[in-house]
Amino acid sequence: MIFQFEVVEGNYEKNLEKVQRMFKEHEPEKGSIVVLPEMWSSGYDLSNIRDHAFHDLEGVKDEIEKLAVEYGVNIVAGSVPNIKSGDDVLNTAFVVDSSGKFLHEYSKIHLVPMLKEPEYLTGGDASVETFDLLGDKAGLVICYDLRFPELFRDLALEDAKVIFVVAEWPAERTEHWLTLLKARAIENQCYIVGSNTFGKQPNGTTFAGNSIIVNPFGEVLAQGAADAEEVVEADIDLEYIAEVREDVPIFKSRRRDMYKFL
């Protein structure tokens, strides 16, 4: 279940209230997964991002853990500006399970030149890793990372069955968003869950909406509108992955000895 909503730039309290309201209105099924978008706590108020940053996720982690326990769901908690040490602000995503246990965090390693992220943020210094969610392996990347297929292949080779992409993806590149998400699902034969925001920010950037869930064959199971608050949800059948990989055995056909980047 993806919560697609319009982020209020620079206002954590209002954005948290939106998230809490959506939980209350939509009451996700116990044991399910809820996904939030990138930078949902502050939006792209980059010139003031240090003021919006959490310190080692302090505060926001507690709020997400409370929601996870209250509703009995697993939460891929999008990402927030975060300071782990020193003065560097990272773009950090994290995951908690239905008991409130902290499962995973990842800080975005590819910063977006088009949105001037490198001027205000520091890229993460650790690459992607899988984490256990509901008894299977999953992966998590952030927005611009979608353009780097190496990350997805790394996760797929570590047996990630589902890869979550949390984003604030601009509307002017909507076709890239949709095409790349489908491509990552097809080439890695896994489920891809893309969570995005919508609406126009004060800096003039309009986000694309179109949150989407894609199966391992590249078929769209559910897709949101470009400009509406909504929940995007679908059932995921992990057994279908083995069927697709048997029919089109790309992993068995790989020629590692021929790949220069390795």
Side-chain angles (χ1 to χ4, degrees), residues 48-249:
N48 300 301
I49 202 65
R50 191 171 304 279
D51 296 333
H52 305 312
F54 300 93
H55 289 265
D56 203 17
L57 301 176
E58 185 177 349
V60 66
K61 182 170 66 171
D62 294 340
E63 293 292 347
I64 294 298
E65 289 172 349
K66 287 178 188 176
L67 287 168
V69 171
E70 179 180 355
Y71 290 92
V73 296
N74 308 277
I75 304 178
V76 178
S79 75
V80 298
N82 183 47
I83 298 172
K84 288 192 69 68
S85 61
D87 296 324
D88 293 340
V89 182
L90 305 172
N91 183 342
T92 302
F94 65 100
V95 184
V96 299
D97 71 10
S98 58
S99 70
K101 180 182 177 182
F102 190 86
L103 297 182
H104 180 69
E105 73 175 79
Y106 162 74
S107 293
K108 187 177 185 179
I109 60 177
H110 298 105
L111 301 181
V112 188
M114 300 83 79
L115 294 178
K116 299 182 179 180
E117 279 189 335
E119 296 180 22
Y120 301 96
L121 300 172
T122 298
D125 60 4
S127 191
V128 293
E129 300 287 348
T130 59
F131 58 95
D132 292 329
L133 182 63
L134 297 175
D136 285 284
K137 289 187 176 181
L140 172 61
V141 302
I142 302 174
C143 201
Y144 192 46
D145 288 335
L146 179 59
R147 295 185 179 274
F148 300 86
E150 301 90 339
L151 297 185
F152 290 78
R153 181 49 55 90
D154 283 349
L155 290 168
L157 290 174
E158 292 180 8
D159 203 28
K161 301 292 197 305
V162 182
I163 301 176
F164 299 95
V165 184
V166 300
E168 282 203 304
W169 195 280
E172 63 186 304
R173 293 183 282 277
T174 299
E175 286 305 312
H176 292 195
W177 166 251
L178 297 173
T179 300
L180 290 171
L181 288 166
K182 293 174 187 176
R184 300 293 166 261
I186 293 167
E187 68 196 7
N188 294 294
Q189 297 179 323
C190 65
Y191 287 91
I192 300 289
V193 178
S195 171
N196 198 23
T197 62
F198 73 96
K200 189 171 184 178
Q201 297 281 279
N203 67 3
T205 301
T206 299
F207 295 110
N210 282 282
S211 296
I212 192 171
I213 302 170
V214 187
N215 78 9
F217 203 66
E219 298 166 327
V220 176
L221 301 182
Q223 183 172 340
D227 57 357
E229 179 180 299
E230 59 184 310
V231 165
V232 179
E233 58 183 325
D235 292 328
I236 288 177
D237 177 11
L238 296 183
E239 293 182 2
Y240 182 56
I241 294 173
E243 180 182 330
V244 171
R245 292 183 179 182
E246 182 67 26
D247 290 344
V248 186

Side-chain angles (χ1 to χ4, degrees), residues 7-39:
V7 173
V8 180
E9 186 177 282
N11 195 321
Y12 169 56
E13 289 74 19
K14 285 189 176 180
N15 291 317
L16 179 60
E17 287 173 4
K18 282 192 177 189
V19 171
Q20 293 169 332
R21 173 180 55 78
M22 291 186 77
F23 268 98
K24 185 175 182 180
E25 290 179 355
H26 298 286
E27 292 192 36
E29 181 180 348
K30 288 189 181 299
S32 63
I33 301 169
V34 174
V35 189
L36 305 181
E38 178 188 22
M39 286 292 201

